[in-house]
């Protein structure tokens, strides 16, 4: 049965409407449905059935009305409308009554909003696994509430976390988030989802697809918000060009990203962009200038409240490459030790293992000097 009280009283059985003849019976049914799953006393039923003073025969008429309703609704076993002192109770589930569905949807909508807020907090704390768990619960709530925007937000949040965890399910989440964002015309969500997709594809060496996403983000972001997303797009394009060996283009895009980041006061982003410029300079053979850029990036990373892996660990790895090339092996090993400790702390075991591989192949002699530019033992006493 499907009961509807938000508007005119209606009763449906599947696709067929069930007519309830008689104003008194309709009022009795409505009174019971307005207090679903609760006992409605006969005195209250009488008040809601008659506008004036109920007649002396009110109780008898109410009982007759309930009997007629049971017959009309096919409730001969009295499982739907139950007699319970001091009156009657109608038993309905949340899918049987529109007012209950509305209340549940409203609660889920609010729940989804709270979960989106929680997801934002968890990403600041770097809790990727916790974020996936919270997002999965939020996704169910968002879909039940029917909010496309909430669903896109939660898919993006879960996809971002899965990207950080190097999980293969990241791509479907981000692709769906991008599609939903485009459908509802939410430019911010669309840019964010495409950015994450591009980063994922770049890590998978699907460079042509990654370039398409990054270039589209650059176009979409021009004139949007404060220029933050344009700065992100320039930085991502710089890193992609560095991966492809296009060193001059890497330096050019990285320089534009640094300029935009500084204008915004975004030190995390500036650190990443400086490290990308350093990669381009390494490809051009200018390791001395690359070290200068990397040291600045590392200094910004150390001052960062977020201390995400991209903010400090990756610039340390880039710095180590130039230091090693310049023959300063001890410093290079120290930088990689610190980077490996950060990746381990973040649960990024594959990245930590890659760092330690470089350490094993370039370990300085025992008793050698500690690195001057990196705190080699930070985070290792765990």
């Amino acid at each position: 049965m499907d009961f509807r009280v938000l508007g005119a009283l209606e009763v449906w059985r599947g696709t067929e409407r069930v007519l309830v003849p008689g104003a008194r019976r309709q009022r009795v049914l409505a009174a019971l449905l307005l207090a679903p799953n609760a006992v409605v006393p006969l005195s209250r039923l009488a008040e809601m059935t008659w506008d004036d003073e109920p007649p002396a025969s009110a109780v008898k008429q109410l009982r007759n009305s309930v009997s007629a309703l049971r017959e009309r609704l096919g409730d001969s076993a009295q499982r739907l409308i139950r007699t319970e002192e001091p009156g009657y109770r109608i038993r309905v589930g949340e899918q049987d009554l529109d007012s209950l569905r509305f209340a549940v949807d409203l609660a889920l909508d609010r729940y989804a909003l709270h979960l989106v807020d929680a997801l934002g907090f968890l990403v600041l704390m770097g809790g990727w696994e916790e974020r996936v768990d919270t997002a999965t619960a939020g996704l169910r709530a968002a879909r039940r509430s029917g909010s496309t925007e909430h669903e896109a937000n939660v898919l993006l949040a879960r996809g971002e976390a899965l990207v950080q965890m190097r999980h293969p399910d990241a791509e479907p989440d981000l692709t769906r988030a991008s599609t939903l964002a485009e459908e509802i015309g939410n430019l911010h969500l669309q840019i964010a989802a495409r950015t994450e997709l591009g980063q994922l594809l770049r890590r998978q060496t699907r460079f042509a697809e990654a370039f398409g996403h990054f270039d589209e983000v650059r176009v979409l972001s021009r004139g949007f918000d404060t220029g933050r997303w344009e700065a992100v797009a320039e930085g991502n394009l710089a890193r992609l060009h560095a991966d492809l060996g296009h060193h001059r283009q890497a330096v050019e895009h990285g320089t534009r990203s640094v300029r935009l980041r500084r204008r915004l006061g975004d030190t995390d982003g500036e650190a990443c962009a400086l490290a990308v410029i350093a990669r381009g300079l390494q490809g051009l053979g200018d390791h001395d200038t690359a070290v200068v850029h990397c040291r600045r990036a590392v200094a910004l990373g150390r001052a960062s409240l977020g201390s995400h892996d991209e903010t400090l660990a990756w610039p340390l790895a880039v710095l180590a490459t130039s230091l090693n090339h310049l023959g300063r092996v001890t410093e290079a090993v120290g930088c990689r030790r610190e980077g490996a400790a950060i990746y381990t702390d973040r649960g990024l075991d594959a990245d930590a293992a890659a760092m330690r591989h470089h350490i094993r192949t370039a370990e300085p002699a025992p008793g050698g000097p500690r690195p001057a530019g990196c705190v080699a033992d930070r985070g290792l006493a765990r």
Side-chain angles (χ1 to χ4, degrees), residues 195 199 217 227-237 257 261 266:
T195 296
Q199 291 173 346
V217 167
R228 172 178 170 269
W229 283 113
E230 186 178 354
V232 171
E234 291 288 356
N236 282 326
L237 284 167
S257 182
R261 300 284 197 176
D266 179 5

Side-chain angles (χ1 to χ4, degrees), residues 257-279:
S257 182
V258 166
R259 186 166 56 248
L260 289 166
R261 300 284 197 176
R262 284 177 179 167
R263 191 178 71 193
L264 295 167
D266 179 5
T267 55
D268 279 9
E270 183 182 347
C272 294
L274 285 167
V276 178
I277 294 173
R279 279 194 64 195

Side-chain angles (χ1 to χ4, degrees), residues 3-4 22 60 70 93 96 107 120 166 169 176 178-179 186 189 214 258 260 286 296 357 370:
F3 299 98
R4 303 176 187 178
K60 182 179 180 180
R70 285 169 171 160
D96 303 324
R166 313 301 194 254
D169 290 341
R176 180 61 178 161
S178 176
T179 300
N186 189 318
L189 276 176
F214 290 151
V258 166
L260 289 166
D286 189 354
R296 171 62 179 161
H357 172 73
R370 282 295 188 194

Side-chain angles (χ1 to χ4, degrees), residues 22-333:
R24 185 179 303 122
R25 294 170 186 171
Q26 291 174 8
R27 287 193 173 196
V28 170
L29 179 58
L32 292 171
L33 290 171
L34 289 174
N37 302 307
V39 176
V40 182
L42 285 168
S43 58
R44 178 60 178 159
L45 279 175
E47 290 175 5
M48 298 182 71
T49 303
W50 284 275
D51 295 327
D52 301 321
E53 187 71 21
S57 60
V59 171
K60 182 179 180 180
Q61 292 187 51
L62 289 172
R63 295 194 189 282
N64 290 337
S65 294
V66 169
S67 296
L69 285 171
R70 285 169 171 160
E71 183 180 353
R72 174 64 62 172
L73 301 174
D75 185 34
S76 58
Q78 300 185 18
R79 291 192 180 92
L80 178 63
I81 302 177
R82 299 176 64 89
T83 303
E84 294 186 18
E85 293 297 331
Y88 295 97
R89 175 164 64 97
I90 189 165
R91 298 179 60 187
V92 287
E94 65 182 49
Q95 296 304 314
D96 303 324
L97 178 60
D98 61 353
S99 61
L100 284 180
R101 289 195 295 271
F102 176 78
V104 169
D105 289 346
L106 182 61
L108 287 171
D109 198 39
R110 290 172 177 167
Y111 177 53
L113 277 174
H114 288 310
L115 284 171
V116 170
D117 291 339
L119 290 166
F121 174 76
L122 283 170
V123 69
L124 290 175
M125 300 301 293
W128 303 118
E129 290 184 4
E130 294 91 339
R131 197 179 189 205
V132 169
D133 292 340
T134 304
T136 300
L139 187 58
R140 288 194 295 267
R143 284 173 173 166
R144 289 186 65 183
S145 72
S147 172
T148 303
E149 184 170 351
H150 290 166
E151 182 179 352
N153 263 304
V154 175
L155 282 168
L156 173 60
R158 191 170 71 174
E160 287 174 340
L162 291 171
V163 166
Q164 291 296 327
M165 295 168 64
R166 313 301 194 254
H167 197 285
D169 290 341
E171 187 174 354
D173 276 5
L174 294 172
T175 301
R176 180 61 178 161
S178 176
T179 300
L180 292 176
E182 189 172 1
E183 287 177 1
I184 62 177
N186 189 318
L187 187 58
H188 175 83
L189 276 176
Q190 189 179 346
I191 290 172
R194 280 181 169 270
T195 296
E196 289 293 332
L197 263 174
Q199 291 173 346
L200 173 65
L201 295 170
R202 185 189 64 78
R203 283 172 173 158
Q204 295 175 346
T205 66
R206 293 158 62 182
F207 296 129
E209 294 172 81
F211 183 86
H213 284 293
F214 290 151
D215 202 47
E216 180 68 16
V217 167
R218 183 175 57 165
V219 172
L220 291 172
S221 62
R222 283 176 179 163
F224 179 71
D225 67 24
T226 58
R228 172 178 170 269
W229 283 113
E230 186 178 354
V232 171
E234 291 288 356
N236 282 326
L237 284 167
R239 195 161 181 178
L240 182 60
H241 280 296
D243 289 339
L244 292 169
H246 305 157
H247 307 304
R248 293 193 184 281
Q249 291 96 321
V251 172
E252 290 169 4
H253 284 287
T255 301
R256 282 197 286 269
S257 182
V258 166
R259 186 166 56 248
L260 289 166
R261 300 284 197 176
R262 284 177 179 167
R263 191 178 71 193
L264 295 167
D266 179 5
T267 55
D268 279 9
E270 183 182 347
C272 294
L274 285 167
V276 178
I277 294 173
R279 279 194 64 195
L281 292 169
Q282 289 170 350
L284 295 171
D286 189 354
H287 286 277
D288 290 310
T289 308
V291 167
V292 173
H293 281 75
C294 281
R295 290 206 185 282
R296 171 62 179 161
V298 168
L300 291 172
R302 293 203 197 290
S304 169
L305 292 175
S307 294
H308 293 165
D309 56 297
E310 294 292 299
T311 307
L312 182 54
W314 186 61
L316 283 168
V318 179
L319 174 58
T321 298
S322 281
L323 289 173
N324 195 66
H325 188 274
L326 294 170
R328 294 150 68 176
V329 178
T330 301
E331 289 183 76
V333 168

Side-chain angles (χ1 to χ4, degrees), residues 1-2 11-19:
M1 285 290 189
D2 181 13
V11 181
W12 291 79
R13 183 184 287 113
T15 58
E16 295 182 2
R17 184 172 177 179
V18 179
L19 297 178

